[in-house]
Amino acid sequence: MIYGSVIYARNQSPVPVFLSGKAMHSKYNPQNEALSFAKGIREQFLIAGGIGAGYHIGAYLDLNPGAKVIAVEADEESLEFCKRMPEVRDMALRHGVHVCTVDEVREVIKREYIPSLHGNLTLGFNRVWEEEAPAAAEELSRKVREAVKDISADFSVQTHFGKIWQRNILLNILSIEENRMPHLDTGKTAAIIAAGPTLDESIRTLIRDRDSYVVISTDTAYRALREYGVRSDVVVSVDAQCVSGEHFFCVSESNALAGHSPLFVLDTSASRSAVKSAAQTGAGIFFFTGPHPLSALACGGTAVPGLEAGGGTVTIAACDFARLAGFKRMELFGADFCYNGGKAYARGTYLDTRLGMGACRTSPAETSFAALMFRTEIYAPENPPEFSPSAKSPLTSPVLERYGSSLLKWCGDYGFSRSEQKRNLITRDAGEQVPEKTQQIRSPKDNVRNFLRRAESLAAEECRELPPDAELFPVLPYVAWLRKSADGDAGIFKLLKLAYSHAVRYNQLYL
């Protein structure tokens, strides 16, 4: 508890007093003082350090209708003290206002702050509160930095992929004729093939015992397997970029693979070039939906299931497909989540061809691979790679370590445990129930057409209020991309109008 009592200002407004005896607000006219605080803030999302009687927060809301506020107090007892103030009681009832303690603020920020919708946020302290509760103020600053760092990483991806995601999802879903889960021999071990450097050695085991596996390859590893003459039963891809189509441009194949086409398991946001390349082989295509809200809207109640991808990791998506198919035993090959022996990927990936073609005497392919590895901070891991016991001289990065941790979490969430003798082998209790197949209630095409009709209507309207979440969230990744483009300084209503109109423009023939 940081407050001791309440006094009344000259204009009879209540003013909290700290245990030190210092008043939090002006003893003469706290409303005028609050106005100067509010005028100094331009952002539409405020994290207010120190609540007190709430005058400064109320003034900010009056000057910024529609703004959002997270009002933070030092501890639970201090927060309850502040809630007795009349201004705080009224403020807490306002739409978009959340009150919490320093301990809770990180989770509240991650739940409430959407950069594409709210723009920038700011942390504003009541000056006296910051002086009287320095430990709480420092802890609040730290937690805000951590939350913003986590959110910024996700928002950065949205600003880069927002446009291509929306286009791919709409066109892919409108091309689905049926989406039937294939029958796979789940009595065998699912070989999950990633493209880490240790695949160059572990593939010998796969070649020797090929008939004992159902091979589920990631897109990056698919080409490498073909170079070794290994047939894939399933290929999984989550990448929205056009370059992912190059995984399927296999210019060479062994006689054993001629005429064989695996099942391609693709995210609904997958690159159109990858989808078309897969379709041209005559292979089957099975779509799944990831975390994108437009995919969730389009695929709700349909035969398009959801798969987890651990923050965009295709290896986890391949594992989750194997789980959905009913496999209880999986062996991971090349799931290094690290750079090994000075290499970023196994031999035979599309990068070998791409970087080799641009190599010359003064800039060999090794130079390009090194640049790829050192584009971010890398370091030696404290512990051996989780799923790659044969890695030698491994180097990792925060992103790669996060992928490895995500796969460990996935194992725990779905009851898989790692073998003590074989670190790249994961199994689930035979008594576990196989997940039920998704039953189609609606058509994904109908869901998309309904969304596009509503988008056409919203694009034609002059928005004054935000639409319901079901109509708002599907276009927010695209709005994130717009914020970074030439229209980035526009208000949220103009950005939403653009997002809806662009969705319709790409799909006029389907309305």
Side-chain angles (χ1 to χ4, degrees), residues 3 24-25 34 37 46-62 64 67-73 78-100:
Y3 300 103
M24 180 164 174
H25 307 293
F37 169 88
L46 168 66
I47 300 172
I51 297 176
Y55 302 118
H56 53 308
I57 302 171
Y60 166 78
L61 290 168
D62 290 340
N64 299 275
K68 294 203 72 167
V69 172
I70 298 176
V72 188
E73 258 305 334
S78 300
L79 179 58
E80 291 302 316
F81 176 91
C82 294
K83 285 180 178 179
R84 297 199 291 267
M85 302 292 107
E87 183 84 11
V88 176
R89 285 200 301 268
D90 294 342
M91 176 191 75
L93 297 175
R94 285 182 153 184
H95 178 71
V97 176
H98 301 270
V99 296
C100 67

Side-chain angles (χ1 to χ4, degrees), residues 268-344:
T268 50
S269 66
S271 164
R272 290 295 296 162
S273 66
V275 175
K276 290 176 181 177
S277 297
Q280 287 170 0
T281 68
I285 296 177
F286 181 79
F287 282 105
F288 67 90
T289 178
H292 195 291
L294 179 55
S295 288
L297 171 72
C299 299
T302 75
V304 180
L307 291 184
E308 292 194 27
T313 317
V314 66
T315 304
I316 298 180
C319 289
D320 208 40
F321 171 78
R323 176 192 65 84
L324 188 69
F327 286 93
K328 293 183 172 63
R329 182 182 174 91
M330 304 181 200
E331 189 170 343
L332 282 68
F333 295 81
D336 302 338
F337 302 119
C338 68
Y339 303 127
N340 178 51
K343 295 186 62 178

Side-chain angles (χ1 to χ4, degrees), residues 430-491:
E432 290 281 344
Q433 292 294 317
V434 176
E436 294 183 4
K437 304 295 188 295
T438 305
Q439 298 297 316
Q440 179 155 334
I441 302 171
R442 294 185 295 272
S443 162
K445 288 185 179 181
D446 289 341
N447 286 350
V448 167
R449 288 180 181 127
N450 291 336
F451 167 74
L452 291 175
R453 291 189 186 98
R454 183 59 183 144
E456 187 175 39
S457 174
L458 290 167
E461 296 175 4
E462 286 299 324
C463 297
R464 293 286 183 264
E465 295 182 358
L466 292 175
D469 290 351
E471 297 170 351
L472 173 66
F473 287 171
V475 297
L476 286 184
Y478 192 88
V479 170
W481 178 84
L482 287 172
R483 281 195 181 275
K484 192 179 179 182
S485 71
D487 298 299
D489 293 332

Side-chain angles (χ1 to χ4, degrees), residues 150-447:
D150 292 341
I151 294 170
S152 296
D154 182 55
F155 182 65
S156 177
V157 175
Q158 291 185 41
T159 62
H160 186 75
F161 290 106
K163 180 179 181 180
I164 194 170
W165 277 341
Q166 178 165 299
R167 180 180 183 275
N168 288 349
I169 289 168
L170 292 173
L171 294 179
N172 282 335
I173 287 176
L174 289 166
S175 71
I176 295 175
E177 296 300 331
E178 62 179 0
N179 207 58
R180 189 171 300 168
M181 171 65 79
H183 174 73
L184 299 170
D185 187 354
T186 58
K188 294 184 177 181
T189 299
I192 308 299
I193 316 298
T198 61
L199 181 63
D200 292 339
E201 296 180 7
S202 61
I203 199 168
R204 298 170 188 167
T205 301
L206 188 67
I207 294 172
R208 184 180 65 245
D209 301 326
R210 173 63 185 84
D211 290 341
S212 63
Y213 294 108
V214 173
V215 175
I216 302 175
S217 174
T218 62
D219 48 8
T220 313
Y222 173 54
R223 189 166 182 162
L225 290 181
R226 293 183 74 92
E227 293 292 334
Y228 281 105
V230 176
R231 171 175 52 85
S232 297
D233 297 298
V234 178
V235 181
V236 182
S237 181
V238 301
D239 194 355
Q241 300 176 96
C242 187
V243 70
S244 65
E246 293 189 33
H247 300 312
F248 308 141
F249 300 161
C250 298
V251 295
S252 65
E253 60 180 22
S254 69
N255 291 333
L257 298 179
H260 172 76
S261 295
L263 172 75
F264 288 91
V265 176
L266 306 175
D267 193 307
T268 50
S269 66
S271 164
R272 290 295 296 162
S273 66
V275 175
K276 290 176 181 177
S277 297
Q280 287 170 0
T281 68
I285 296 177
F286 181 79
F287 282 105
F288 67 90
T289 178
H292 195 291
L294 179 55
S295 288
L297 171 72
C299 299
T302 75
V304 180
L307 291 184
E308 292 194 27
T313 317
V314 66
T315 304
I316 298 180
C319 289
D320 208 40
F321 171 78
R323 176 192 65 84
L324 188 69
F327 286 93
K328 293 183 172 63
R329 182 182 174 91
M330 304 181 200
E331 189 170 343
L332 282 68
F333 295 81
D336 302 338
F337 302 119
C338 68
Y339 303 127
N340 178 51
K343 295 186 62 178
Y345 290 98
R347 287 193 302 269
T349 66
Y350 79 104
L351 282 170
D352 277 346
T353 303
R354 169 172 280 211
L355 300 183
M357 289 175 63
C360 62
R361 187 172 62 181
T362 57
S363 182
E366 287 79 4
T367 300
S368 300
F369 272 113
L372 180 67
M373 289 168 49
F374 286 93
R375 60 187 168 175
T376 58
E377 175 194 5
I378 61 174
Y379 46 84
E382 294 182 3
N383 301 306
E386 297 290 352
F387 298 94
S388 187
S390 64
K392 300 172 183 177
S393 304
L395 294 173
T396 190
S397 69
V399 171
L400 292 175
E401 286 197 324
R402 188 161 63 245
Y403 287 163
S405 297
S406 296
L407 182 51
L408 276 177
K409 182 178 183 302
W410 176 90
C411 290
D413 289 345
Y414 291 102
F416 284 89
S417 57
R418 189 173 51 192
S419 168
E420 294 293 334
Q421 292 76 30
K422 201 172 186 180
R423 293 174 62 86
N424 62 325
L425 179 66
I426 58 175
T427 57
R428 184 171 59 180
D429 186 349
E432 290 281 344
Q433 292 294 317
V434 176
E436 294 183 4
K437 304 295 188 295
T438 305
Q439 298 297 316
Q440 179 155 334
I441 302 171
R442 294 185 295 272
S443 162
K445 288 185 179 181
D446 289 341
N447 286 350

Side-chain angles (χ1 to χ4, degrees), residues 5-9 13-17 23-27 30 53 55 85:
S5 61
V6 176
I7 61 172
Y8 288 87
S13 299
V15 175
V17 177
M24 180 164 174
H25 307 293
S26 168
K27 296 179 182 179
Y55 302 118
M85 302 292 107

